[in-house]
Amino acid sequence: MSLSLIRKPFVMQGLAITVAALMMNSTHAASEQEQIQQLRDEVKELRALLQQYVPQAKQQNEPTQVSVAPAATAVTTQNQNTPVVAAATPKKSPLSFSTASGAEVKLYGFVRGDASYQSKGGDGIFNRINKVDLEGAEKNSDRFYSTAATTRLGLDFKAPVEGADVGGKLEVDFRGGSSNDTIRIRHAYLTFNDWLFGQTTSTFLATDLQPEMLDFNSPLGIGTYRTPMVRYSGKFTPETSYAVALEKGNDDNRTPALTSKLKYDFAEGKGTTSARALLTEARSKATYDKDNNRVHSGEAELGWGVAVGAKYKFTDALQAMIDYSHVKGDSKFLLYTNNAFNVNPTNFDLNLNEFDAFTVGTTYQISPKLRSTLAYGAMFADDSNDFAKQAVIAKDTAQNKTLQQGWWNIMYSPVTPVTFGLEYIYGERKTFDGQKGTDNRVGAMARYNF
């Protein structure tokens, strides 16, 4: 066999192998080109998606937008492996819960214990400046008192119902009855939008202007009276609010008391001031003789009052407050006042009591855990009117010409819910006939808020 004949099959096989290799390389190259083109197309699609996503993200970052749900939805739709960042849900307090009707309820209050050593004063642990023993007739000197009856429990309710804001409050302590160891209702009311129905602090009063006092009976010169009422509240501006109410006055009155308040906040929340007004009825009971025959059916006159006060925070540590009231013919709304009136035994005319009440104080935050208050309160009754003259004639030593009281306290909170307090109080009272009495005592308190 010739060499050419032997080489020919090998040449043909080589050519076949070469062609096959070239075809495979060509096919592989074509496949790579297709993959590259496919990747390029996918990159284009990804860029288009990113262009759709970025404007949404920018829009959601604008301060006028609140919800971030659309962006989270877009990311989740394109990549199921991308984690969705959900907005943090506010953690509810263990003392908050919801009722079956959907109302949100918050439990609050405190456990409190009080102790007092009284060198001179009235009959009881807390403030009785208008009834302290007169000189020469001391019965309540050198006494120690203690109680836990000031412990308080409360429930706040809130429920948006069919577009209306509905709420309420129920608050009790354990100072009911003569023994001060039974439950007493402090606040119990319903709110419906701007209306309030029930019992709460009188609109004529301004407890937010009251200097801090450890004594649970509150300071001289201001009021804390809680009474049944119907009240409407509103705002003229964000800084100016008002309230008008019909409130229960004395039990013998046939008409409710009319009260009003105008409140103004200023200096970017550093200060607040209020002006208040009161109209009420002063009514005497029917008079009977010894044979139970009616001698006089009783009389009624108009009582009234005006008040103004302010509080201002000079620095983060120092604030001061002041309040002034002038009242005629009422004894309910302000603390430690005389009777609203007395009756002339001859013609049964009403003699209305008239007085000025005043309180001023300052609180200094010594440290984040320590604060102190120094304050003064007073009541000055008109001693030239018929009420004062009748009190002198009747030798009524329960009615006072002047009351004055000063106090200094220090409050320490080692941890947020716990407060310990120590307070010194000195006061004097003077009757219309010139007799005097002294209030001199030291009090201590321990309280746990929850």
Side-chain angles (χ1 to χ4, degrees):
M1 180 178 295
S2 67
L3 182 61
S4 60
L5 292 175
I6 296 173
R7 289 179 174 175
K8 185 175 182 178
F10 287 100
V11 171
M12 294 299 295
Q13 291 176 1
L15 289 174
I17 292 171
T18 301
V19 170
L22 290 173
M23 290 180 64
M24 290 178 64
N25 288 335
S26 175
T27 303
H28 179 69
S31 176
E32 288 183 344
Q33 291 296 327
E34 291 176 358
Q35 291 178 357
I36 292 172
Q37 184 62 40
Q38 184 177 359
L39 287 173
R40 287 176 178 174
D41 293 339
E42 290 177 354
V43 169
K44 289 181 180 180
E45 292 178 0
L46 181 59
R47 286 178 178 175
L49 291 174
L50 288 174
Q51 289 175 356
Q52 294 177 0
Y53 168 73
V54 170
Q56 292 179 0
K58 288 182 178 179
Q59 185 179 9
Q60 289 161 6
N61 289 330
E62 292 293 331
T64 55
Q65 297 296 324
V66 177
S67 173
V68 296
T73 303
V75 175
T76 306
T77 303
Q78 301 306 325
N79 188 348
Q80 297 298 331
N81 295 322
T82 302
V84 178
V85 180
T89 302
K91 185 178 180 180
K92 280 195 172 184
S93 166
L95 299 181
S96 299
F97 58 93
S98 299
T99 66
S101 62
E104 296 180 3
V105 183
K106 180 182 178 182
L107 173 66
Y108 68 92
F110 53 73
V111 178
R112 172 170 164 162
D114 292 270
S116 174
Y117 171 73
Q118 185 172 276
S119 174
K120 292 184 178 181
D123 183 14
I125 181 173
F126 296 123
N127 203 356
R128 287 176 173 80
I129 181 62
N130 59 322
K131 296 181 179 180
V132 298
D133 294 339
L134 295 172
E135 294 177 353
E138 289 90 347
K139 300 179 181 179
N140 300 291
S141 300
D142 297 320
R143 288 195 175 188
F144 175 80
Y145 299 94
S146 63
T147 183
T150 57
T151 295
R152 183 181 303 176
L153 295 172
L155 293 171
D156 281 330
F157 304 88
K158 185 177 181 181
V161 179
E162 298 180 2
D165 290 330
V166 180
K169 179 187 286 288
L170 175 62
E171 182 180 290
V172 300
D173 62 15
F174 298 89
R175 286 183 53 78
S178 58
S179 60
N180 288 336
D181 59 1
T182 58
I183 289 179
R184 174 184 67 165
I185 296 177
R186 292 172 52 85
H187 301 273
Y189 61 77
L190 160 73
T191 58
F192 182 82
N193 292 333
D194 296 327
W195 290 91
L196 181 146
F197 307 88
Q199 175 176 302
T200 192
T201 305
S202 171
T203 310
F204 182 62
L205 306 176
T207 54
D208 57 325
L209 307 180
Q210 172 181 316
E212 186 174 28
M213 192 179 201
L214 183 151
D215 190 297
F216 193 77
N217 273 8
S218 299
L220 170 66
I222 205 162
T224 59
Y225 182 55
R226 296 172 295 274
T227 183
M229 69 177 69
V230 176
R231 180 165 70 197
Y232 181 82
S233 304
K235 286 191 173 184
F236 293 121
T237 68
E239 298 81 18
T240 308
S241 60
Y242 67 91
V244 180
L246 293 176
E247 305 181 10
K248 181 181 181 298
N250 288 299
D251 292 336
D252 296 323
N253 294 356
R254 294 183 301 182
T255 59
L258 174 63
T259 60
S260 62
K261 178 188 294 186
L262 181 65
K263 184 177 179 181
Y264 175 66
D265 297 326
F266 60 94
E268 298 180 347
K270 293 182 179 179
T272 183
T273 183
S274 68
R276 293 99 65 194
L278 164 70
L279 289 176
T280 187
E281 182 184 42
R283 171 171 290 276
S284 63
K285 295 181 179 180
T287 305
Y288 297 87
D289 61 18
K290 61 181 181 179
D291 297 323
N292 204 31
N293 296 317
R294 178 179 290 187
V295 178
H296 192 268
S297 58
E299 288 195 3
E301 289 194 23
L302 181 66
W304 57 273
V306 292
V308 62
K311 179 171 67 176
Y312 186 76
K313 194 170 186 178
F314 295 96
T315 67
D316 291 340
L318 179 65
Q319 66 175 342
M321 59 288 297
I322 185 171
D323 197 65
Y324 166 78
S325 304
H326 182 88
V327 178
K328 182 176 182 178
D330 181 76
S331 59
K332 277 284 186 181
F333 293 93
L334 292 181
L335 292 166
Y336 316 119
T337 61
N338 296 324
N339 294 339
F341 58 86
N342 54 31
V343 180
N344 187 312
T346 303
N347 56 20
F348 302 104
D349 286 345
L350 295 185
N351 303 318
L352 300 185
N353 176 46
E354 190 168 2
F355 65 92
D356 297 293
F358 173 80
T359 185
V360 61
T362 181
T363 296
Y364 185 71
Q365 191 75 38
I366 303 169
S367 73
K369 297 182 178 182
L370 192 66
R371 66 184 183 274
S372 181
T373 297
L374 179 65
Y376 167 82
M379 185 281 297
F380 303 100
D382 185 348
D383 63 346
S384 63
N385 60 12
D386 291 336
F387 178 90
K389 294 175 182 178
Q390 183 63 42
V392 172
I393 293 172
K395 297 182 180 180
D396 187 354
T397 57
Q399 312 306 315
N400 299 292
K401 176 183 175 181
T402 61
L403 298 173
Q404 299 184 75
Q405 191 173 63
W407 64 96
W408 171 81
N409 62 48
I410 189 164
M411 302 288 187
Y412 175 61
S413 298
V415 293
T416 301
V418 176
T419 301
F420 300 101
L422 186 67
E423 182 171 74
Y424 174 68
I425 300 173
Y426 182 84
E428 294 180 349
R429 79 169 175 122
K430 184 178 180 180
T431 65
F432 285 112
D433 62 1
Q435 298 186 65
K436 296 180 180 180
T438 300
D439 184 25
N440 189 3
R441 53 200 168 90
V442 177
M445 174 207 71
R447 184 180 66 209
Y448 173 74
N449 293 329
F450 58 85

